[in-house]
Structure formats: structure tokens, C-alpha cells
């Protein structure tokens, strides 16, 4: 591989303009394709074979009006809504109903009036029941008096028949008695019928009152009359509708501002796909400063940036062009940009740094450097450092491609796009970097250190000496620090962001807050429950069945309201809206969903009712659970890959174990920091975390994959130097020192660049990118400086020669990769040799 890359780098050095123009042409082509073919990104989170999707599909067949997507619009008027404002709202509702995919709107004022009238109807019904009960009791008393009269008449007739059977009035009395008995029989029949109707009325009232009581807290207009909640209903889920079509809702609603109505839109109607915010710009700016300090030249510092932006531009613009045929999740380009910028700068820096070191060797030896020397050095740098770049990039690509095991299309898409970005960036680094170096020519030669300047050890020498002299203490200190940082990870809870995690100045956050204040936090994400009965219900039994099922749902701890929202035409399917006391991402809401799917489902199943649970809140919970379930398999896959790859590269059994153990420490420590900030709210003011909640469910899987690749990059660039020194005859402990000194500066610079780029996304416009940015920034910082530059040299110096042990049979089985490019150096014309002390001076000049 090194020889092939040498030829590639040499070709680019001999025809630099051709390679530069080729990439300009490629970039121009993808720009044109993107402008012609791009379609809007999607926020869809599809989950194959998901329970919530199946329930939603079944519900859509039975009760279509409750199965489509619903967008929330919050209206506010400080002093209450005036007549003119109500007219403007009515007109806007009509305009919304004419928009694509909109099936209707729920007028909050009309619906609230219906809810209020239902309360009045219940009160009227109760009064009628009371009046009916009084009438029934009055009739019962009258019949009782009639029975007494009939009894008295029977006794009089019996007495006359005994004492005066010939009394002329006796026949009339007997006839009158028969009429009274007939009247009594008729009255008793009518009283029985009245009693049956009264009992039916009482039962209906009880069922209605029960049902209304279950949803007593549901309102669409706040009690003070200042806030109203509009629901815009769509013919498909919100994820399936084009963002451009969704954007028409806020565009149409702009007319309400003229009427003095404040309007805020729920997160499902507005979402940001913006990448280039101030945070990202600051991150790139800091990376530029690091490059200037490292390379000492604007020209040289600009090369890694040019490589990174070219790689990211080609890959992401190409991906946007593909949206003409494929749906692209809004988070995928952000992740690709984040990772592409970081690795692009780093990979180009490694090649540039190697080239400058080689030129410094020649210059320090007093050699007159000509064009051929520069071309040879470029080819050699591409063959040596480029080989390490290929292997390092391959680790990142493989780790991201391994996201296929998650089985979640969105995560697979994000991983594939990020992997493609890294792949393109590696290709750009291997071809554009040597071309740019050739154009730079002699400007790549580092400035010489003045000969009379005394040589002093730099920070790498001092650091590795301190670490290796006190190796046990260094190991204990790093492990303890990582362990402390990892403690919060024990309470890690996964979820998807809701409106409460949006920036405070966003309309989505304002809508979330106002809904919570006026209608309760749970109104931001109600749960939809479907209930299928065995036989079609009689019309008269619908309310009773709704009350019975609703009562079971309401018994779940944390449920605030249960509201019936639909009945199928065949009256076999009933739909309910369950509102929790807390927000959609709260832990109590997750517990409610678990119980609805568990004990409540089992209890109702025993009564012949089949329960299903769905809705956006349930979808988020199910996606998070699916990701959590896939995480162990993915982690095992990544660890296995790490052990295998590092064993091949370093020809050692213990080095891969040390590297993998360090990687795991970095991961759990990063998890701990993320939990502390985004779930516990620590330093919330610094990181703009105003509503702590569940951690982004994609974060652990993505962080493991990306951090694995980056950790292996630093392991490769740092430890490969140690192995090279060991192979060339130094003892194990001295090899640790030599390898560390030769690679520490460039690894430190590369790590700082990555941390800067990732940290820039911590304040991104897209809130989903924030925890990933922080996790990667913290992970790289900890892994590079504590694991690779502290723990690794400390453990390796303690183990000595044992660290490079490998069974002979395993050495024969595994393929050999010349990561250091040693074979290439032996075959090609290397720079003129210099003494060891002179080389030390050269490295100081080249890297400081």
C-alpha cells in the first residue's frame, strides 16, 4: 500500500494543477447537481416492525381522522382575545384547511365551548335525574296509597259479605274495587317502566359523568382566556410530509400578527437543518489558530482546511443531490459535516507534518533542496503518513458502517453518510494535499533554529519522562479520574428531544412552554390508545364502554386526563387520548407507556378488549428502547474490531487490549459528562441547557462508533512510532519515549483541532447535534491526552518487552500491514541521514 500511495503522491506532486482542477471540477459538478436535484430533508424516524407504527396503521383504517399527524399552534393574547382577533383566527383556520395535506383544524374556541356545554349538559341531566327521581318517588307514594285504599275496600267488601250479603251497594263496591285494582296494575306497570328508564338514565349519567371527569383537565382555551391551542390535522404522519409543506402553516399564520395575536408553532411544524452557525464558525476558527501555531504559516495552515472543506463539500453536496431519489434525515448532514471537518483537517495535517519533517532533515543537513527533492518528499510523506491515514480512516469508516447492525434505517443512514464523508475526505487528503504541497514548494520548509540557541527538552520529553517515571501513579490517577467522570452514566436515560430542548428564543420552545403553563406539560405529547372490542357495540353501550376502559387507563399512576377522541363506524374500535402529568420525555411518561402496554393491556384483554398504544411520544420511547437494545451488540462488534485491527497493525496481544480498555474508559467518561450536562443540568447556563431531560437516544451508538475510529487514529499515529523505535533496536521503555516524542506534538495538535470542531457544534442551531458535539469533544480530549498520551505510555513502560509479545502462530496467520512505511523508506531514496542529536533539533524546529 505504501508504494502505491508513494506513486499517487508523486503523481500529484508532478501535476499539481491537474489534481487541483480535478477536485474543483468535482466540487462544481456536485454543486450543480445539488442545486438541480435537492429536495427538503426529512425529520422522519422510521422503525421497522415497530408496535406504535402498526397500531397507528390499524387505527388509520378504523378511525382515519385520529391517525394522521397533528401540528400544534399556540395562540396568545395578553388581555384575552378580542372579537377582531377571533375573526382573524377564524380566517386563518380556514386558510390552513386549504393547505396541502391538511384535513382540518380544531377550532379551540368552538371545542372549548362544546366542553363547557357538556359540563352544563351534565348539570342539566343531573337536575332532570333528580326531578325524575322525585316524580318516581311521588308516583310510588301514590300507588302505595292506592294499595291502601284497595286493601281497605277489600276489607269493607268482605265485612259486608259476612254481615249483609244482600246490601244493594255491594255489587257497585265490587266493581269499583276491580277498577281500582286495574288502575293499580296499570300504575305499577308504568312505575316499573319509569323505574327502568330512571335507572337507565342514572347509568347513562354516571357513565357520562365518569367519562367527562376522566378528561376534566383537558382544555383548548386557558382558564384566563389568554391562550388557545389549535390543532392542525394532516392526512399523514408529520415525518412523511415535506418540510416545505409544513412550512406553509407558519407562513400562512403570519397574518395573525397584524391582528395582535402572538403565534408559536410546535416542534413538529418547524425544525432547523441549519449547520453553519456561530458556534461552528468559532470551532473552525480555533482549529485554524492551532494550525497556525503548529505550522507557522498561513499557506501551510490553509492546506488542511482546504482539504477538509473540499472533502465535506463534495460528500455532503453529493448527498443533498441524492435527495431527489432518497429521503435524507436532517441530522445526517450535520454529523457528516462535524466528522468530515475534523478528520479532514487531521489527516491532511499528518501528511503535511511528515513532509515538513523530511524537508527539515534535508535542510538541517545543509542540502540544497531542489524541486525533485520536494517531489520525492511529498511522495514519501504520502506513502508513509498516507498509509496511516488510510488505516485510520478505514477504522472510522468500518465503525460507522457497523451501524447496520442497529437495524434502524435513520441510524444506518447517518452512519453511511458519515462513513462516505470520511472516505471521500481520505481520498481528498491523499490527492489534494500532495498537489497543494507541490504548489507551496519551498514554503513548506520549516524555519531553522538558530545554531547558537541552546537545545532544551520540549513538553513531550518532559511529559513522557514524568509519566514513565511515575507510571503506577499515572495509571491510578487516570483510571480514578475517568471513573469519577463516568459516575453519572449510571443513570443514563435515552429519549428524543422535544420542544423543551429547543433554544429559548425559538418558536418551538415558546410553544412548548406556553402549552405547559396553560394546559399542563403532558399536553405537549399526549398518548393515543386504541381499544378493540370483540363484538360491535350497540349505540347505547358506547359511552358505558368508553367509561369502563377510560377508568382503567386513568388508574395508571401519572395519568392526568383520559379523553375519548373517536369511535369507528362499526363501533368495534375506540380511540382515547391519554395526557400525562409530566412532559413527553419525562421518566414518569415512559413509566406510563410501559404500564399501558403491560398490566393495563393484560387486564383489559381479560375482558375481551385489545389495547394498542401509539402517538409521537410512544414512537420516541420505542425508538429509544430499540437503540438501547442494539447498543450491546454494536459495542461487542466495535470492541472485537478494535482488538483484531490493532493486533494486525501492532503485532502484539497486549497493545490492543490496552488500547481497547482505554477506549472504553473514554466512552463511559464521555457518557458521564453528557448525562451530567443534558440530563442533570449541570453547567446548564454554559451549555444552554434550560430544560434537562433524557439524553438523545442516538448519542451512545454514534459516540461509540465515531470515538472508536478517532481513538484508533491517535493510537496508530502515536504507538506506531513506539513500535518503529522498538523494531529498530531500542529497548521497550526507550522506544515508548522516542515514539511519544516523535508523534506527541502532531497528535496533540490534531486532537485540539478535533475538539475545537466538535465543540463548535455544542451550541448548534440543531439541538440534536449538541450532545453529540459535546460527547465527541470531551471524548477526544480525554482519549487523546489522558488515554493515549498518559495511560498508554505509562502502562507500556511498566510492561516493558512483554507489551510486544505475540505468539508465533498468530503472527503467521495475521496479514502484515506496513503502517509505518518502513519498506517504502528502505526501497526509496530517503533524505540524507543526520545524527541522532541533530535529528532531535530538526524535530524541535519542525514541530514547535
Amino acid at each position: 500500500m505504501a508504494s502505491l500511495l508513494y506513486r499517487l503522491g508523486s503523481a500529484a506532486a508532478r501535476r499539481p494543477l491537474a489534481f487541483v482542477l480535478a477536485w474543483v471540477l468535482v466540487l462544481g459538478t456536485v454543486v450543480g447537481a445539488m442545486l438541480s436535484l435537492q429536495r427538503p430533508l426529512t425529520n422522519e424516524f422510521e422503525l421497522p416492525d415497530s408496535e406504535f407504527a402498526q397500531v397507528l396503521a390499524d387505527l388509520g383504517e378504523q378511525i382515519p381522522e385520529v391517525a394522521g399527524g397533528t401540528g400544534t399552534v399556540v395562540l396568545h393574547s395578553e388581555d384575552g382575545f378580542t372579537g377582531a382577533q377571533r375573526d382573524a383566527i377564524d380566517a386563518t383556520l380556514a386558510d390552513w384547511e386549504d393547505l396541502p395535506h391538511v384535513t382540518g383544524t380544531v377550532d379551540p374556541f368552538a371545542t372549548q365551548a362544546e366542553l363547557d356545554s357538556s359540563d352544563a349538559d351534565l348539570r342539566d341531566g343531573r337536575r332532570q335525574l333528580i326531578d325524575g327521581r322525585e316524580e318516581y318517588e311521588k308516583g310510588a307514594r301514590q300507588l302505595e296509597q292506592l294499595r291502601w285504599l284497595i286493601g281497605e275496600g277489600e276489607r269493607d267488601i268482605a265485612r259486608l259479605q259476612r254481615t249483609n250479603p244482600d246490601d244493594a251497594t255491594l255489587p257497585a263496591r265490587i266493581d269499583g274495587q276491580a277498577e281500582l285494582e286495574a288502575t293499580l296494575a296499570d300504575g305499577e306497570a308504568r312505575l316499573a317502566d319509569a323505574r327502568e328508564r330512571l335507572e337507565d338514565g342514572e347509568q347513562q349519567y354516571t357513565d357520562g359523568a365518569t367519562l367527562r371527569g376522566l378528561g376534566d383537565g383537558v382544555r383548548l382555551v386557558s382558564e384566563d382566556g389568554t391562550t388557545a391551542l389549535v390543532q392542525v390535522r394532516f392526512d399523514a404522519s408529520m415525518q412523511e410530509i415535506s418540510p416545505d409543506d409544513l412550512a406553509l402553516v407558519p407562513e400562512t399564520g403570519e397574518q395573525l400578527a397584524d391582528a395582535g395575536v402572538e403565534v408559536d408553532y410546535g416542534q413538529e411544524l418547524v425544525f432547523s437543518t441549519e449547520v453553519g452557525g456561530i458556534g461552528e464558525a468559532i470551532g473552525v476558527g480555533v482549529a485554524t489558530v492551532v494550525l497556525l501555531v503548529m505550522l507557522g504559516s498561513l499557506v501551510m495552515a490553509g492546506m488542511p482546511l482546504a482539504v477538509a472543506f473540499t472533502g465535506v463539500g463534495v460528500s455532503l453536496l453529493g448527498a443533498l443531490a441524492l435527495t431527489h431519489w432518497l429521503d435524507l434525515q436532517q441530522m445526517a448532514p450535520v454529523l457528516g459535516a462535524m466528522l468530515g471537518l475534523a478528520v479532514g483537517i487531521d489527516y491532511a495535517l499528518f501528511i503535511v507534518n511528515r513532509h515538513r519533517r523530511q524537508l527539515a532533515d534535508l535542510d538541517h543537513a545543509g542540502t540544497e533542496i531542489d524541486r525533485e527533492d520536494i517531489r520525492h518528499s511529498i511522495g514519501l510523506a504520502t506513502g508513509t503518513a498516507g498509509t496511516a491515514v488510510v488505516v485510520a480512516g478505514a477504522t472510522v469508516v468500518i465503525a460507522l458502517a457497523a451501524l447496520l447492525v442497529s437495524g434502524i434505517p435513520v441510524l444506518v443512514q447517518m452512519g453511511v453518510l458519515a462513513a462516505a464523508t470520511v472516505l471521500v475526505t481520505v481520498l481528498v487528503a491523499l490527492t489534494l494535499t500532495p498537489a497543494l504541497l507541490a504548489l507551496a514548494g519551498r514554503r513548506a520548509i520549516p524555519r531553522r533554529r538558530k545554531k547558537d540557541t541552546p537545545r532544551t527538552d520540549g513538553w513531550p520529553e518532559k511529559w513522557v519522562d514524568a509519566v514513565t517515571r511515575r507510571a503506577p501513579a499515572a495509571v491510578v490517577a487516570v483510571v480514578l479520574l475517568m471513573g469519577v467522570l463516568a459516575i453519572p452514566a449510571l443513570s443514563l436515560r435515552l429519549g428524543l428531544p422535544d420542544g423543551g430542548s429547543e433554544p429559548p428564543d425559538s418558536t418551538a420552545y415558546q410553544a412548548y412552554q406556553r402549552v405547559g403553563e396553560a394546559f399542563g406539560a403532558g399536553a405537549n405529547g399526549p398518548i393515543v390508545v386504541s381499544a378493540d372490542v370483540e363484538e360491535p357495540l350497540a349505540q347505547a353501550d358506547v359511552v358505558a364502554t368508553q367509561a369502563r376502559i377510560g377508568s382503567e387507563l386513568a388508574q395508571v399512576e401519572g395519568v392526568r386526563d383520559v379523553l375519548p377522541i373517536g369511535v369507528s363506524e362499526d363501533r368495534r374500535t375506540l380511540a382515547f387520548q391519554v395526557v400525562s402529568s409530566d412532559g413527553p420525555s419525562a421518566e414518569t411518561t415512559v413509566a406510563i407507556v410501559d404500564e399501558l402496554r403491560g398490566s393495563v393491556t393484560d387486564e383489559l384483554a381479560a375482558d375481551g378488549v385489545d389495547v394498542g398504544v401509539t402517538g409521537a411520544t410512544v414512537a420516541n420511547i420505542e425508538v429509544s428502547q430499540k437503540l438501547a437494545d442494539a447498543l450491546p451488540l454494536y459495542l461487542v462488534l466495535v470492541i472485537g474490531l478494535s482488538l483484531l485491527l490493532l493486533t494486525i497493525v501492532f503485532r502484539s496481544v497486549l497493545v490492543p487490549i490496552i488500547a481497547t480498555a482505554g477506549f472504553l474508559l473514554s466512552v463511559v467518561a464521555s457518557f458521564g459528562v453528557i448525562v451530567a450536562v443534558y440530563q442533570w443540568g449541570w453547567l446548564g447556563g454554559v451549555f444552554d441547557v434550560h430544560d434537562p431531560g433524557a439524553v438523545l437516544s442516538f448519542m451512545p451508538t454514534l459516540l461509540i462508533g465515531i470515538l472508536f475510529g478517532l481513538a484508533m487514529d491517535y493510537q496508530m499515529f502515536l504507538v506506531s512510532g513506539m513500535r518503529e523505535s522498538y523494531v529498530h533496536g531500542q529497548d521497550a521503555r526507550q522506544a515508548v519515549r522516542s515514539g511519544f516524542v516523535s508523534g506527541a506534538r502532531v497528535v496533540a495538535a490534531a486532537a485540539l483541532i478535533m475538539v475545537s470542531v466538535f465543540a463548535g457544534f455544542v451550541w448548534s442551531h440543531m439541538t440534536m447535534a449538541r450532545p453529540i458535539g459535546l460527547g465527541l469533544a470531551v471524548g477526544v480530549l480525554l482519549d487523546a491526552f489522558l488515554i493515549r498520551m498518559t495511560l498508554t505510555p505509562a502502562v507500556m513502560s511498566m510492561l516493558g518487552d512483554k507489551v510486544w509479545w505475540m505468539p508465533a502462530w498468530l503472527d503467521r496467520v495475521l496479514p502484515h500491514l506496513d503502517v509505518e512505511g518502513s519498506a517504502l523508506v528502505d526501497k526509496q531514496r530517503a533524505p540524507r541521514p543526520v545524527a541522532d542529536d541533530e535529528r532531535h533539533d530538526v524535530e524541535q524546529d519542525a514541530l514547535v
Side-chain angles (χ1 to χ4, degrees), residues 113-187:
E114 291 177 5
L115 291 173
D116 294 339
S117 66
S118 67
D119 293 336
D121 291 342
L122 281 174
R123 289 192 294 271
D124 291 342
R126 179 173 179 79
R127 283 195 296 269
Q128 290 175 6
L129 282 175
I130 293 173
D131 293 342
R133 171 62 67 180
E134 291 177 351
E135 288 295 326
Y136 171 81
E137 292 175 350
K138 179 179 179 181
R141 288 194 298 271
Q142 290 175 346
L143 286 180
E144 188 62 31
Q145 292 175 353
L146 183 58
R147 291 190 189 93
W148 181 83
L149 289 175
I150 291 174
E152 287 296 317
E154 288 176 347
R155 285 189 288 274
D156 289 343
I157 291 173
R159 180 173 52 79
L160 286 174
Q161 287 176 339
R162 290 194 305 270
T163 59
N164 191 8
D166 297 327
D167 190 329
T169 63
L170 186 59
R173 288 191 176 192
I174 293 174
D175 291 340
Q177 188 71 13
E179 291 178 1
L180 287 176
E181 290 177 352
T183 301
L184 176 62
D186 180 63

Side-chain angles (χ1 to χ4, degrees), residues 505-526:
D505 59 348
S506 67
T507 183
Y509 179 79
Q510 294 298 327
Y512 186 90
Q513 288 296 103
R514 279 187 168 153
V515 168
E517 292 170 0
F519 310 107
N524 279 297

Side-chain angles (χ1 to χ4, degrees), residues 519-538:
F519 310 107
N524 279 297
I527 301 164
V528 177
V529 176
S530 67
D532 295 330
V533 297
E534 294 177 340
E535 298 293 337
L537 297 171

Side-chain angles (χ1 to χ4, degrees), residues 493 556-558 580-583 585-594:
R493 186 167 58 86
V556 176
E557 184 177 358
S580 64
S581 300
D582 298 317
S585 62
E587 195 168 1
T588 53
T589 304
V590 177
I592 289 173
V593 173
D594 290 341

Side-chain angles (χ1 to χ4, degrees), residues 109 257 310 344 667:
F109 303 101
T310 301
V667 167

